[in-house]
Amino acid sequence: MKAEIISVGTELLLGEIVDTSTPFIAQHLADLGIDVYYEATVGDNRKRLTEAIRQAEQRSDLVVLTGGLGPTEDDLTKTLLAELLDRQLVTDGPAQAKLDEFYTATGKPKPTHADLMSQFIAGADVLPNQVGFAVGMFLTTENCNYLVLPGPPAELQPMFEQEAEPRLVQLVTGKPVISSRVLRFFGIGEPALEDRLRTLITNQTNPTLATYAKRNEVTLRITASGNDAAEVAKQLQTAIDAVLARVGTYFYGYGDDNSLEQVVVGLLRQRQLTITAAESLTGGLFQSTLANVPGVSAVFAGGFVTYSATTKEQLVQVPATTIAANGVVSKETATAMAQGAQRQLHTDLAVAFTGVAGPGGADGHPAGDFWVALALPNGTVQTKQVRFARDRNLVRDYAVKTGLKMIYDQLAR
Amino acid sequence: MKAEIISVGTELLLGEIVDTSTPFIAQHLADLGIDVYYEATVGDNRKRLTEAIRQAEQRSDLVVLTGGLGPTEDDLTKTLLAELLDRQLVTDGPAQAKLDEFYTATGKPKPTHADLMSQFIAGADVLPNQVGFAVGMFLTTENCNYLVLPGPPAELQPMFEQEAEPRLVQLVTGKPVISSRVLRFFGIGEPALEDRLRTLITNQTNPTLATYAKRNEVTLRITASGNDAAEVAKQLQTAIDAVLARVGTYFYGYGDDNSLEQVVVGLLRQRQLTITAAESLTGGLFQSTLANVPGVSAVFAGGFVTYSATTKEQLVQVPATTIAANGVVSKETATAMAQGAQRQLHTDLAVAFTGVAGPGGADGHPAGDFWVALALPNGTVQTKQVRFARDRNLVRDYAVKTGLKMIYDQLAR
């Protein structure tokens, strides 16, 4: 099956917005085994949008339109497609009720073209919008299939995953149920992860496995289709077990919106363990990353940024002799920093970071060299040395994630 | 003049990479007054790339091709365009020498198709690549103009700005010199900035002014063209003066790659002033943002994350009575935090943040309410109250930037 994605909007065409919806759709279509051969962006212009749709219908089996579903006169995707297909627009009752309620509740005047958002082309499946007001559509004619989606990623993504994907799976496989699971990994690169999963990736068509490189981590999406939910769930679990048997050491959680800090704060709260940090290399980034997570104050009261040798001594009592004997970037200094922070704030855990962010080496260490120390409730300290020769901010991010993964490994096993 | 952008690459088509090069080109073309009507993405495929180029030539005056200039067999943009135009590929001497030197110096084996990177279509202007090896091209035929650029943003952006833009300006205006300047603002939104600059934006065609919303800040690009560098420089300066007369209070620096933290660390180093912080709301983000800047250790030795009331008392000696009388989110607590941090580390300046990041209010304050305090060398403390009802991480980022801007305003005036 051949597909084409047309994104509609002058603000996209002029580069005022970077289009992340098209790559999102393209990735998901690829996962479903649908070949995307063309992508086009057109402005809010009748003539050029007509051209793009006509051309797409001729050469593709599935035309995905995204954008141009809003309440202004510029938003012409639906009305134009209805004209081209010579069909009527009809109102979706639930969507119209939701829209009317909103304007009644807020007392705002309803824009002239607002009702267009709750209309759909006669004969199409309505795809409800969980986030906004504009409904999407899935429509099959004699010549072609059309999927019409809103432009904003926050509206498009849930509509695609919950409403469009099941219909596309049916279209492609004849199998009615699809489900996918995202696994998250830290400490292994995308090529290495693919290598370790090579036999799983190449030998299977259902489920399919696809890896994605993120900032200093990798995600794996496993997608299965089948005749019922139980069958699909079983396929997914079998695949997950096979993956974790190979690369489980690097795994830390599930889900596209998940993060190491969310998982770690969740574990700390569940175990009722408090934490602090003494940060040199990372300059506050570890603590600030923890503070990304709402509710972190239950386990985190504060900590130290000890950027210089002096503050290491003054704030977390690293002995000057330890630094003199071993240098600032050393196992011994990292250990003393973690123990000092733990002692100062009477926490269960304490993490310390010391190293060279770069650019350029320091104290006889190349940029990207660092130590992480994790002081545990029983008084022992775990340490880890890492050499990660990348740019300054990638090094600091990698250090923070190394610390989080050390905590995860302690608490999750 | 009508333009069309074709981006080439299977990894773009499948959504494995988000295409930021096309929006970059589109923005710059719009700045030059060139109308972009179509954008297309095609994979590394002869037939479909041929189709896309043929169609673009027919309906546009300028065809911009990006991507597919690399050293692998898949990279076919140059060879295919040469075939379609019925012209030869010839070698650019300097580019070939640079390529050969690299393989000699590193001892790596040269890939079979590597030399293609230093070739160009006979009759084209060669656009040198400052970052990588693949040269770009600008070519005018009887029917159309072609601009061929590498795909990776790091290679494309300098080539576009330094090599392509002057040629496009000549093409459009007949004027040979173009120059632009980016001004950065914090504390004013994009719509408000546009309103304040309305007469400048609407009444002028040379220079042109364009605003861009960034994360919690706004940039303004002023672009002027003329017959020589002195004329253009004078036009730019006149426009900059007019802009700063209207919105100078929000201005903090020039340049696309600049940031508040770079400007502030630069000023601190120049004035030889040291700084520390006590962070509640921001949880270490202010210090970690300072630490983004190489060389910050000359002015920043460390500081405190004081997330709970207890650590405010223990680490920076906020009197318990101050918190009891005024609450954690108060001018008095922020002031005591800044003074305590300054006293502890004997710095010239100290910043403190306290507030409610959200979601949900706390201590009788809604999410997004915060105080920033800045302790100065003369013993006085400046404070600022902000209400910024956005999501948690935007609030924290906005607080950090508020603190940086307070320091900038102290040091730059």
Side-chain angles (χ1 to χ4, degrees):
Chain A
M1 173 163 294
K2 280 190 278 183
E4 175 152 359
I5 305 169
I6 301 172
S7 58
V8 185
T10 299
E11 71 289 1
L12 293 169
L13 192 64
L14 297 186
E16 289 162 12
I17 300 178
V18 171
D19 181 9
T20 57
S21 290
T22 297
F24 174 89
I25 297 167
Q27 276 188 19
H28 282 73
L29 294 181
D31 287 352
L32 296 172
I34 297 174
D35 296 317
V36 180
Y37 282 157
Y38 303 92
E39 290 163 11
T41 305
V42 293
D44 303 311
N45 176 286
R46 287 184 67 85
K47 176 176 158 287
R48 289 187 284 274
L49 181 54
T50 303
E51 259 179 55
I53 294 173
R54 286 296 187 218
Q55 185 174 42
E57 290 167 335
Q58 280 166 28
R59 61 189 183 190
S60 299
D61 310 304
L62 169 67
V63 178
V64 183
L65 287 151
T66 157
L69 303 191
T72 78
E73 212 173 341
D74 285 345
D75 291 294
L76 44 78
T77 303
K78 267 184 206 173
T79 37
L80 188 64
L81 185 62
E83 281 176 38
L84 295 179
L85 296 174
D86 200 16
R87 298 198 183 197
Q88 297 294 312
L89 282 174
V90 288
T91 296
D92 178 59
Q96 185 66 40
K98 185 175 150 192
L99 192 67
D100 291 339
E101 254 169 51
F102 172 81
Y103 285 105
T104 309
T106 60
K108 292 186 183 173
K110 190 157 76 170
T112 320
H113 299 83
D115 288 347
L116 186 59
M117 293 195 290
S118 54
Q119 292 176 7
F120 65 99
I121 294 172
D125 279 9
V126 174
L127 312 183
N129 189 330
Q130 305 297 343
V131 177
F133 293 109
V135 300
M137 294 181 287
F138 184 75
L139 174 64
T140 297
T141 69
E142 268 181 31
N143 303 316
C144 200
N145 300 285
Y146 303 86
L147 174 61
V148 180
L149 299 167
E155 298 183 25
L156 174 137
Q157 294 182 9
M159 188 186 289
F160 189 95
E161 290 182 350
Q162 291 155 34
E163 304 292 339
E165 205 160 274
R167 288 171 173 87
L168 293 172
V169 172
Q170 277 183 295
L171 193 68
V172 174
T173 64
K175 293 194 177 175
V177 180
I178 188 170
S179 183
S180 71
R181 202 89 199 265
V182 172
L183 281 68
R184 307 185 69 91
F185 299 90
F186 171 74
I188 186 169
E190 192 192 15
L193 189 79
E194 278 190 347
D195 274 352
R196 303 274 287 267
L197 301 178
R198 183 72 61 199
T199 52
L200 297 177
I201 292 174
T202 48
N203 293 344
Q204 299 202 22
T205 54
N206 185 23
T208 58
L209 284 79
T211 59
Y212 300 96
K214 307 282 175 183
R215 185 172 159 90
N216 281 335
E217 51 180 302
V218 189
T219 63
L220 173 75
R221 177 181 289 272
I222 307 179
T223 306
S225 59
N227 292 312
D228 59 55
E231 181 192 331
V232 171
K234 201 179 150 200
Q235 284 176 317
L236 275 183
Q237 195 53 55
T238 307
I240 289 170
D241 292 345
V243 166
L244 292 182
R246 284 167 175 77
V247 289
T249 10
Y250 307 102
F251 170 81
Y252 74 82
Y254 294 97
D256 255 334
D257 290 332
N258 204 351
S259 66
L260 251 172
E261 61 265 26
Q262 283 181 62
V263 171
V264 165
V265 170
L267 285 167
L268 290 169
R269 294 187 61 157
Q270 189 186 318
R271 305 285 176 90
Q272 299 187 297
L273 293 170
T274 57
I275 189 163
T276 186
E279 304 188 54
S280 182
L281 170 74
T282 46
L285 188 62
F286 176 83
Q287 296 170 78
S288 141
T289 302
L290 281 188
N292 286 342
V293 184
V296 67
S297 56
V299 294
F300 172 65
F304 309 88
V305 178
T306 55
Y307 215 61
S308 68
T310 313
T311 51
K312 288 177 183 69
E313 295 166 23
Q314 184 189 336
L315 302 183
V316 292
Q317 288 76 52
V318 175
T321 51
T322 302
I323 296 178
N326 307 284
V328 163
V329 182
S330 64
K331 180 175 179 163
E332 292 76 11
T333 299
T335 301
M337 287 166 67
Q339 287 175 322
Q342 187 185 34
R343 210 165 43 229
Q344 284 292 307
L345 295 188
H346 311 290
T347 55
D348 299 307
L349 301 168
V351 196
F353 302 88
T354 180
V356 185
D363 291 327
H365 299 268
D369 257 35
F370 64 85
W371 282 92
V372 183
L374 172 62
L376 299 171
N378 65 8
T380 62
V381 180
Q382 281 193 348
T383 58
K384 187 159 190 172
Q385 182 177 28
V386 176
R387 309 201 140 178
F388 186 74
R390 304 294 170 83
D391 92 26
R392 183 176 178 88
N393 287 325
L394 275 182
V395 168
R396 296 168 68 228
D397 178 76
Y398 196 86
V400 166
K401 287 180 172 143
T402 300
L404 290 169
K405 186 63 164 50
M406 285 170 73
I407 302 166
Y408 173 85
D409 288 341
Q410 271 299 313
L411 303 185
R413 316 263 143 168
Chain B
M1 173 162 295
K2 283 189 276 183
E4 175 152 359
I5 305 170
I6 302 173
S7 58
V8 186
T10 299
E11 72 287 2
L12 294 168
L13 193 65
L14 297 186
E16 291 162 10
I17 300 179
V18 172
D19 181 8
T20 58
S21 291
T22 297
F24 174 89
I25 297 166
Q27 276 190 20
H28 282 74
L29 294 180
D31 286 352
L32 297 172
I34 298 173
D35 296 317
V36 179
Y37 282 157
Y38 303 92
E39 290 164 9
T41 304
V42 293
D44 303 310
N45 176 285
R46 286 184 68 86
K47 176 175 159 287
R48 289 186 286 274
L49 181 54
T50 301
E51 260 178 55
I53 294 173
R54 286 298 188 214
Q55 186 174 40
E57 288 167 334
Q58 282 165 27
R59 63 189 181 188
S60 299
D61 310 303
L62 169 67
V63 178
V64 183
L65 287 150
T66 158
L69 304 191
T72 77
E73 213 171 344
D74 284 347
D75 291 294
L76 44 78
T77 303
K78 267 184 207 173
T79 36
L80 188 64
L81 185 62
E83 280 176 40
L84 295 178
L85 296 174
D86 199 16
R87 298 198 184 197
Q88 297 295 312
L89 282 174
V90 288
T91 297
D92 178 59
Q96 185 65 41
K98 184 176 151 192
L99 191 67
D100 290 339
E101 253 169 52
F102 172 79
Y103 285 105
T104 309
T106 59
K108 292 187 185 172
K110 190 157 76 172
T112 320
H113 299 83
D115 287 346
L116 186 59
M117 293 194 291
S118 54
Q119 293 176 6
F120 65 99
I121 293 173
D125 280 9
V126 175
L127 312 183
N129 189 328
Q130 306 297 342
V131 177
F133 293 109
V135 299
M137 294 180 288
F138 183 74
L139 175 63
T140 297
T141 70
E142 270 181 29
N143 303 317
C144 199
N145 299 284
Y146 302 86
L147 174 61
V148 180
L149 299 167
E155 298 183 25
L156 174 137
Q157 294 183 7
M159 187 186 289
F160 190 95
E161 291 182 349
Q162 291 155 33
E163 305 290 338
E165 204 159 275
R167 289 171 171 87
L168 293 172
V169 171
Q170 277 183 296
L171 194 68
V172 174
T173 65
K175 292 193 180 177
V177 180
I178 188 170
S179 183
S180 70
R181 202 87 199 265
V182 171
L183 281 69
R184 308 185 68 92
F185 300 89
F186 171 75
I188 185 168
E190 193 191 14
L193 189 78
E194 278 189 347
D195 275 352
R196 302 272 288 267
L197 301 178
R198 184 72 62 202
T199 53
L200 297 177
I201 292 174
T202 48
N203 293 343
Q204 300 202 22
T205 54
N206 184 24
T208 56
L209 285 79
T211 59
Y212 300 95
K214 308 283 173 180
R215 187 171 158 90
N216 281 337
E217 52 179 302
V218 189
T219 64
L220 173 75
R221 178 182 289 271
I222 307 179
T223 305
S225 59
N227 292 311
D228 58 56
E231 182 192 332
V232 172
K234 201 180 150 196
Q235 285 176 317
L236 275 183
Q237 195 53 55
T238 307
I240 290 170
D241 292 344
V243 166
L244 292 183
R246 285 167 174 77
V247 289
T249 11
Y250 307 103
F251 170 79
Y252 73 83
Y254 294 97
D256 254 336
D257 291 332
N258 204 352
S259 65
L260 252 173
E261 60 266 26
Q262 283 180 63
V263 171
V264 164
V265 169
L267 286 168
L268 290 170
R269 293 188 62 160
Q270 190 186 318
R271 305 284 176 92
Q272 297 187 299
L273 293 170
T274 57
I275 189 163
T276 187
E279 304 188 54
S280 182
L281 170 74
T282 47
L285 187 62
F286 175 83
Q287 295 170 81
S288 141
T289 301
L290 281 189
N292 284 342
V293 184
V296 69
S297 56
V299 294
F300 173 65
F304 309 88
V305 179
T306 55
Y307 216 62
S308 69
T310 313
T311 52
K312 288 177 184 66
E313 294 165 23
Q314 184 188 335
L315 301 184
V316 291
Q317 286 77 52
V318 176
T321 51
T322 301
I323 297 178
N326 307 283
V328 163
V329 181
S330 64
K331 180 176 178 162
E332 292 76 10
T333 299
T335 301
M337 287 166 69
Q339 287 174 322
Q342 187 185 35
R343 211 165 43 230
Q344 284 292 307
L345 295 188
H346 311 291
T347 54
D348 299 306
L349 301 167
V351 196
F353 303 87
T354 180
V356 185
D363 290 328
H365 298 268
D369 258 33
F370 63 86
W371 282 92
V372 184
L374 172 62
L376 298 172
N378 65 8
T380 62
V381 180
Q382 282 194 348
T383 58
K384 187 160 189 171
Q385 183 178 28
V386 177
R387 309 201 140 177
F388 187 74
R390 304 296 169 82
D391 91 25
R392 181 175 179 88
N393 286 325
L394 275 183
V395 169
R396 296 168 68 227
D397 177 76
Y398 196 86
V400 167
K401 287 180 171 143
T402 300
L404 289 169
K405 187 62 164 49
M406 286 169 73
I407 302 167
Y408 172 85
D409 287 341
Q410 271 298 315
L411 302 186
R413 317 261 144 170

